[in-house]
């Protein structure tokens, strides 16, 4: 009988394949390009189904997922001005003074992440990646404390109802709270991401877990979000004819992201914690230790 020689193979050089479930959450906000607009702390959540291939210390992954963000921004003072005539027929700049003007957005997106990484033994890891995302549902809520005032060419100070000064008979109404809700269209995002963390020491066959901190910086591709715009040509905004009921019922609030202070450089930042469970789905073919004549 003739015995064939067998060559040993190092299983460490073979790729290992995983399917993974990933959950994450943290804080999110828009990066404001203008100092007058300040971002409020928001919230974020994400889930993804992934495929990962590990070979030696390197890993590669891609997948599909969903992302939710709650963001907000604030303008301490914002003024809209309209050239009108008052109730005596005199020219006046009729102004809506918002102090403050607050925006809130809810955005649900579908995401496609791609990433590369390096494992530090069986303890830690670092991942760099990119993610494209497309909005499925976006809604906004704008709230404001608003008063109306009149600015005359002869006046040093605007005419307004404030304190004991009651100018409501002239069409200038005191500060009150208002709110508007609407949906809008977001654009495509492309984000760069960094994640680093550690593998958890668990003893489950063919299962690995890791937890890490992540940061994502997203760029909007194309124009700004298509938010609703207040069309004041269809609404009475004159101190000559507008009463308090008209103001309360017909006021249209422009979202903060629609203000003239926002430029096309509106970016987004998200930071948080991610937990990932990896299931080893590698198909292992046992080596042949057979002999033949």
């Amino acid at each position: 009988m003739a015995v064939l020689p067998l060559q040993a193979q190092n299983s460490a050089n073979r790729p290992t394949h995983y399917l993974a479930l990933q959950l994450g959450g943290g804080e999110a906000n828009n990066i404001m390009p203008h100092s007058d607009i300040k971002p409020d702390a928001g919230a974020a959540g994400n889930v993804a189904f992934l495929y990962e291939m590990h070979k030696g210390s390197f890993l590669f992954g891609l997948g599909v997922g969903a992302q939710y963000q709650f963001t907000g921004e604030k303008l301490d003072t914002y003024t809209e001005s309209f050239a009108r005539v008052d109730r005596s027929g005199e020219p006046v700049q009729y102004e809506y003074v918002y102090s403050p003007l607050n925006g809130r957005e809810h955005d649900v997106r579908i995401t496609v992440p791609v990433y590369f990484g390096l494992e530090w033994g069986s303890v830690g890891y670092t991942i760099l990646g990119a993610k494209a995302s497309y909005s499925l549902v976006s809604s906004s809520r704008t709230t404001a404390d608003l008063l109306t005032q009149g600015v005359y060419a002869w006046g040093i100070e605007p005419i307004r109802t404030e304190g004991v000064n009651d100018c409501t008979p002239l069409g200038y109404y005191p500060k009150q709270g208002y709110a508007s809700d609407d949906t809008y269209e977001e654009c495509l995002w492309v984000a760069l991401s960094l994640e680093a963390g550690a593998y958890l020491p668990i003893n489950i066959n063919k299962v690995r877990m890791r937890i890490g901190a992540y940061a994502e910086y997203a760029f909007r591709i194309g124009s700004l979000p298509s938010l609703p715009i207040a069309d004041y040509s269809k609404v009475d905004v004159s101190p000559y004819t507008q009463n308090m009921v008209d103001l309360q019922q017909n006021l249209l609030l422009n979202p903060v992201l629609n203000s003239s202070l926002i430029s096309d450089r509106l970016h987004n930042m998200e930071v948080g914690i991610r937990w990932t469970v990896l299931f080893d789905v590698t198909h292992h073919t046992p080596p042949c230790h057979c002999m033949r004549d």
Side-chain angles (χ1 to χ4, degrees), residues 40-60:
D40 286 336
N46 51 80
V47 60
F49 298 95
L50 307 168
Y51 162 76
E52 278 191 20
M53 181 181 69
H54 295 221
K55 187 171 183 180
S57 298
F58 296 93
L59 65 90
F60 163 77

Side-chain angles (χ1 to χ4, degrees), residues 12-81:
N13 291 327
R14 297 177 182 174
T16 306
H17 305 275
Y18 295 94
L19 293 179
L21 172 64
Q22 187 176 81
L23 299 174
E27 192 273 342
N29 58 264
N30 290 310
I31 306 298
M32 296 294 109
H34 196 286
S35 60
D36 288 344
I37 301 178
K38 299 176 176 60
D40 286 336
N46 51 80
V47 60
F49 298 95
L50 307 168
Y51 162 76
E52 278 191 20
M53 181 181 69
H54 295 221
K55 187 171 183 180
S57 298
F58 296 93
L59 65 90
F60 163 77
L62 54 84
V64 64
Q67 175 184 20
Y68 164 77
Q69 277 197 3
F70 165 69
T71 55
E73 49 284 324
K74 178 180 179 180
L75 256 173
D76 288 333
T77 302
Y78 184 63
T79 302
E80 289 182 293
S81 184

